[in-house]
Amino acid sequence: MRKFTFISLISLLSIQFYSNAQDADTAWKSKYDASLGLSQTTFTNWSSGGENAFAMNANLTIFKNYAKDNLTWGNYLGLAYGLSYMQETDPQWRKIDDKINLVSKAGLHAWKKWYYSGLFEFRSQFDKGYNYPHPDYISKFMAPGYFQLSIGMNYKPVDYFALFLSPIGARLTVVNDPFLTNTLDDKGNLIGAFGVKGDNTTLWQIGASLNMIFKKDIMKNVNLMSKLDLFSDYTHNPQNIIVGWENNILMKVNKYISLSLATRVGYVDNLNYTDREGITHGPRTQFKETFTIGFAYSLAHN
């Protein structure tokens, strides 16, 4: 029997783009990281079995930072979107990654490496999300959408690290979809979605927060970006910390080949988990990992 398999491990055909630019106004520094990954698997008369599949994943990260005299202003934008397609079993495009994250933080120098600061953050996604194989969507753009506005102190001892501490701030969760806010559990009880229930579309929380970001070449041709967000709601179980932790490692094998590893960890105490059998459970620690290998292209200029 003739066997043939085409599995391109040029597998995640990835075009990695990076630039480290300094604008005409020397107070601004900009950095851009972008990648596009593709993978394909094809089987013909393959005795061990398998399904033809195709996947694609795109990422864009932008840092724009301003520093002049006593004023600093840091901006971060992280976008990601990915799809996969299984040809034979329930053939359809399925989302494998989806992220919109914008952070803007302004500061006025206080003393040494400390700044009086204010922070704004927005997080959501582009497209509907599903808990396969169930046909009903469980999330979409602005369902949820998270907004955070906080004031506090920012500690920035070096260019590649910043720690923001806020004793007071507001966190707004938006679920702009009555289908989701009126979700019932397997016993018929109203549980809503992302802490928002019934005819409500928003959830306000007041509390303290910690936001940390680290981005640096930790060794030759290896860059690490780590972003940690913590929030404690003063009005409801302040001991249950809302956690979001994102890590991205980019490793340049040579001028044209790169490896990347991205992980996300999250915990929200008012976010229920529904398994593949449709049974609803209490809050769980969430984890996601994405590994990519492929072609790379780099450009840097000052």
Side-chain angles (χ1 to χ4, degrees):
M1 179 181 293
R2 182 173 175 259
K3 309 174 195 174
F4 173 75
T5 181
F6 174 71
I7 306 176
S8 63
L9 200 152
I10 309 180
S11 95
L12 301 160
L13 169 58
S14 152
I15 301 171
Q16 301 275 1
F17 174 78
Y18 159 83
S19 89
N20 182 8
Q22 184 164 333
D23 300 340
D25 183 349
T26 57
W28 282 99
K29 290 185 178 180
S30 305
K31 182 174 287 187
Y32 307 88
D33 295 309
S35 66
L36 174 63
L38 305 174
S39 70
Q40 177 183 319
T41 305
T42 302
F43 298 88
T44 302
N45 302 324
W46 189 248
S47 60
S48 299
E51 293 188 37
N52 297 342
F54 177 81
M56 60 183 296
N57 195 56
N59 290 272
L60 173 66
T61 301
I62 299 174
F63 289 88
K64 291 190 73 70
N65 299 310
Y66 178 89
K68 190 172 184 179
D69 299 328
N70 292 327
L71 180 65
T72 63
W73 184 20
N75 298 278
Y76 161 81
L77 176 65
L79 306 175
Y81 190 77
L83 293 170
S84 69
Y85 185 86
M86 304 296 290
Q87 183 175 348
E88 299 177 18
T89 300
D90 188 23
Q92 61 177 299
W93 288 99
R94 293 186 174 187
K95 185 173 70 172
I96 56 175
D97 199 6
D98 198 354
K99 181 187 77 168
I100 304 172
N101 188 197
L102 171 67
V103 180
S104 185
K105 179 171 55 179
L108 184 65
H109 184 255
W111 68 92
K112 294 185 178 180
K113 303 297 183 178
W114 289 89
Y115 295 79
Y116 303 111
S117 298
L119 177 143
F120 170 80
E121 180 170 12
F122 167 70
R123 289 189 293 116
S124 190
Q125 59 190 31
F126 292 100
D127 201 1
K128 289 182 178 179
Y130 296 83
N131 187 17
Y132 298 107
H134 300 288
D136 294 332
Y137 63 90
I138 59 174
S139 63
K140 67 176 191 178
F141 177 69
M142 291 305 294
Y146 296 104
F147 298 85
Q148 181 179 329
L149 183 63
S150 302
I151 57 174
M153 299 296 295
N154 190 52
Y155 177 63
K156 190 173 179 62
V158 288
D159 289 341
Y160 53 83
F161 174 81
L163 176 66
F164 176 74
L165 302 172
S166 171
I168 188 66
R171 187 175 190 265
L172 172 65
T173 303
V174 177
V175 183
N176 193 24
D177 191 314
F179 171 75
L180 297 176
T181 58
N182 287 282
T183 299
L184 306 177
D185 64 15
D186 53 304
K187 298 180 181 178
N189 299 314
L190 178 65
I191 57 173
F194 308 101
V196 182
K197 300 180 181 180
D199 295 331
N200 297 316
T201 58
T202 60
L203 171 67
W204 283 95
Q205 296 170 288
I206 303 297
S209 62
L210 178 151
N211 304 82
M212 180 276 292
I213 191 162
F214 175 96
K215 184 172 177 62
K216 188 179 188 296
D217 290 336
I218 54 177
M219 58 183 68
K220 184 179 180 180
N221 295 328
V222 179
N223 183 269
L224 169 65
M225 194 280 283
S226 183
K227 180 175 176 290
L228 175 65
D229 300 298
L230 306 177
F231 185 88
S232 173
D233 183 1
Y234 286 149
T235 61
H236 178 74
N237 295 330
Q239 73 280 4
N240 295 342
I241 307 298
I242 298 173
V243 179
W245 187 22
E246 176 182 347
N247 291 279
N248 293 281
I249 298 175
L250 177 63
M251 296 165 279
K252 297 296 297 295
V253 178
N254 57 36
K255 185 177 180 180
Y256 300 105
I257 303 296
S258 72
L259 304 172
S260 64
L261 176 65
T263 64
R264 299 182 205 169
V265 179
Y267 178 82
V268 182
D269 72 335
N270 60 12
L271 180 58
N272 294 314
Y273 165 73
T274 302
D275 61 27
R276 294 182 179 272
E277 285 70 43
I279 300 174
T280 301
H281 306 272
R284 300 285 181 89
T285 299
Q286 306 169 56
F287 177 77
K288 181 176 182 179
E289 176 264 330
T290 304
F291 177 76
T292 303
I293 179 173
F295 292 113
Y297 174 73
S298 296
L299 173 67
H301 58 89
N302 294 317

